[in-house]
């Protein structure tokens, strides 16, 4: 323990742990370092009883304040593992939350009661058309009544993000854990209904900005319903590449990335409840709406696809996509991004020239590779990048290769 407050999450099972480590861990660490939090990920069950194994691990968030480590902290910030943090814009979540209160977002007012009602109407229509089971919660009171709870409250605690105090809130969380049973599948929201009820009954909730727990799926339903189903490719998004690709798939990927990154920019914490695999569509380097521009997103998608093709050994496709990415980065003035792509392209072309897979005249390919690398080196030197020496060594190595070709 280094700090007086900690961010805690639970990622039980290889699938959830891998998702958190791949997309969230470094992202959360930046936020923790910025505001002085320890970061704790629990990857083994806190309760291994038969009862615990028969219900979702999500319930075990109610046990975190019962753990020995929690007693060393004044504040514990619980965050579900399928959340990304907008580290550039999110303020410190504990600020303004009294120690004796639980800081949380009112699900029923996110972003406003009127817009949530519109979102729910669309959700229910969509789920009904697909035969997806759900509970019809048209009011906050319905949310509790359908579970068998008294209808005392017109607000709902979204329990994916909570500012907690071990001293004040341990017993309330334990009451929810030990006093209620699993109702069924995900449509019952696991622990959320009873835990929300117990927190409101204790009159200990301090409502915080809804952007601290902006749920991605309802956001898509409200703002981007066209992403829910397959739709025709928008060929105007792309310049026809020289190699054959699935334009429909690529157009879909680009639009998803633009929309997910826009949602991220509009949030403090973006919650991918029920759709954690969609986290990979967010450009975590984005810091403002300007980073959601179509060209920047496309450049990133082309770069990612090029890397995938390179890993698969399809170098012609990899080089083509890196070149498309480079064109876009030059157009939007992404200088450091351009340097990265130039460096990778240079190394790929040199490797191809060495193997004789591009042109019989390997010297021409070596010359192009060195030109790319020299451009990259000049940019990195201008920005005093720590990668300067690495690229300089690569240049020297390729010069030796070319001399021996």
């Amino acid at each position: 323990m280094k700090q007086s407050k900690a961010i805690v999450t639970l990622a039980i099972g290889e699938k959830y742990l891998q998702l958190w480590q791949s997309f969230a861990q470094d992202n959360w660490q930046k936020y923790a370092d910025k505001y002085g939090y320890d970061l704790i990920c629990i990857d083994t069950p806190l309760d291994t009883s038969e009862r615990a194994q028969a219900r979702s691990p999500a319930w075990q968030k109610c046990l975190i304040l019962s753990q020995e480590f929690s007693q060393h902290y004044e504040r514990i910030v619980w965050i579900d593992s399928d959340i990304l943090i907008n580290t550039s814009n999110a303020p410190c979540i504990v600020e303004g939350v009294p120690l004796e209160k639980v800081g949380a977002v009112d699900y029923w007012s996110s972003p406003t009661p009127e817009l949530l009602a519109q979102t729910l109407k669309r959700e229910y229509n969509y789920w009904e058309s697909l035969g997806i089971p759900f509970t019809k919660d048209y009011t906050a009171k319905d949310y509790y009544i359908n579970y068998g709870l008294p209808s005392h409250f017109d607000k709902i605690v979204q329990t994916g993000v909570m500012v907690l105090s071990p001293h004040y809130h341990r017993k309330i969380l334990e009451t929810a854990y030990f006093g209620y049973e699993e109702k069924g599948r995900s449509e019952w929201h696991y622990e959320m209904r009873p835990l929300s009820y117990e927190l409101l009954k204790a009159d200990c909730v301090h409502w915080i900005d809804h952007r601290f727990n902006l749920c991605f799926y309802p956001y898509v339903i409200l703002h981007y319903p066209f992403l829910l189903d397959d739709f025709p490719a928008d060929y105007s998004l792309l310049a026809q590449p020289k190699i054959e690709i699935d334009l429909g798939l690529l157009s879909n990927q680009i639009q998803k990335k633009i929309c997910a990154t826009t949602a991220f920019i509009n949030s403090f914490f973006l919650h991918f409840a029920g759709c954690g695999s969609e986290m990979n569509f967010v450009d975590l380097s984005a810091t403002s709406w300007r980073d959601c521009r179509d060209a920047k997103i496309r450049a990133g998608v082309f770069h990612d696809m090029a890397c995938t093709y390179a890993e698969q050994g399809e170098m012609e496709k990899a080089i083509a996509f890196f070149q498309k990415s480079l064109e876009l980065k030059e157009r939007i003035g992404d200088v450091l991004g351009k340097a990265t792509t130039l460096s990778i392209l240079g190394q790929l072309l040199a490797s191809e020239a060495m193997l004789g897979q591009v042109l019989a005249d390997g010297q021409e390919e070596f010359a192009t590779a060195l030109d790319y690398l020299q451009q990259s080196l000049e940019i990195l030197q201008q920005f005093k990048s720590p990668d300067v020496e690495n690229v300089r060594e690569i240049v020297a190595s390729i010069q030796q290769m070319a001399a021996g070709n």
Side-chain angles (χ1 to χ4, degrees), residues 83-115:
I83 286 175
L84 294 175
I85 301 176
N86 184 350
T87 56
S88 297
N89 298 315
C92 182
I93 190 171
V94 305
E95 288 185 1
V97 179
L99 186 61
E100 71 278 8
K101 296 286 188 178
V102 172
V105 167
D106 176 18
Y107 171 72
W108 210 253
S109 300
S110 181
T112 68
E114 294 77 17
L115 287 175

Side-chain angles (χ1 to χ4, degrees), residues 184-398:
R185 301 196 302 180
S186 59
E187 66 267 24
W188 292 102
H189 294 175
Y190 307 120
E191 85 302 329
M192 191 162 123
R193 295 180 198 242
L195 180 53
S196 174
Y197 176 79
E198 289 296 331
L199 290 169
L200 292 172
K201 188 172 73 170
D203 192 25
C204 66
V205 180
H206 175 86
W207 301 111
I208 59 178
D209 193 313
H210 79 276
R211 289 174 291 177
F212 277 116
N213 195 346
L214 184 65
C215 292
F216 181 64
Y217 186 78
Y219 191 90
V220 168
I221 289 278
L222 183 62
H223 298 286
Y224 312 125
F226 57 85
L227 291 180
L228 295 174
D229 299 304
D230 293 332
F231 52 94
D234 180 2
Y235 289 87
S236 66
L237 284 173
L238 305 167
Q240 178 70 39
K242 296 179 181 178
I243 58 179
E244 184 180 352
I245 59 170
D246 184 342
L247 282 173
L249 173 63
L250 187 54
S251 177
N252 186 288
Q253 296 290 96
I254 290 168
Q255 292 195 52
K256 278 188 175 181
K257 195 152 190 172
I258 291 170
C259 294
T261 303
T262 301
F264 176 71
I265 289 299
N266 289 335
S267 72
F268 293 152
F269 293 12
L270 185 59
H271 191 176
F272 290 83
C275 52
S277 59
E278 304 292 295
M279 289 194 289
N280 71 308
F281 287 111
V282 174
D283 179 2
L284 289 172
S285 68
T287 59
S288 79
W289 65 269
R290 294 178 179 84
D291 295 320
C292 300
R293 291 172 298 174
D294 181 41
K296 184 179 188 299
I297 296 294
R298 279 191 288 153
V301 171
F302 285 139
H303 183 96
D304 292 344
M305 293 186 74
C307 290
T308 298
Y309 281 127
E311 290 171 0
Q312 295 172 349
E314 298 187 58
M315 294 306 171
E316 183 181 357
K317 289 184 178 180
I319 290 169
F321 275 105
F322 276 127
Q323 287 172 336
K324 299 290 290 183
S325 178
L326 180 61
E327 290 172 13
L328 288 168
K329 288 174 180 177
E330 288 176 336
R331 186 193 306 174
I332 64 177
D334 182 3
V335 181
L336 283 174
K338 175 182 174 180
T340 299
T341 303
L342 284 167
S343 176
I344 296 172
L345 261 174
Q347 293 174 69
L348 280 180
L349 287 169
S351 298
E352 291 291 274
M354 196 66 184
L355 293 171
Q357 292 179 350
V358 178
L359 292 173
D361 184 4
Q363 289 296 336
E364 183 177 340
E365 289 305 312
F366 275 125
T368 304
L370 285 169
D371 178 54
Y372 283 152
L373 284 161
Q374 288 289 359
Q375 290 183 58
S376 175
L377 183 59
E378 289 173 9
I379 294 170
L380 294 174
Q381 287 173 329
Q382 178 184 348
F383 283 88
K384 295 181 172 57
S385 169
D387 296 322
V388 166
E389 287 306 313
N390 182 42
V391 175
R392 186 178 283 127
E393 290 174 5
I394 293 170
V395 169
S397 174
I398 291 175

Side-chain angles (χ1 to χ4, degrees), residues 158-178:
Q158 218 301 345
T159 58
V161 176
M162 296 180 288
V163 178
L164 302 164
S165 166
H167 176 73
Y168 289 100
H169 307 131
R170 172 178 173 174
K171 289 184 178 179
I172 301 171
L173 269 64
E174 288 178 346
T175 296
Y177 187 79
F178 294 108

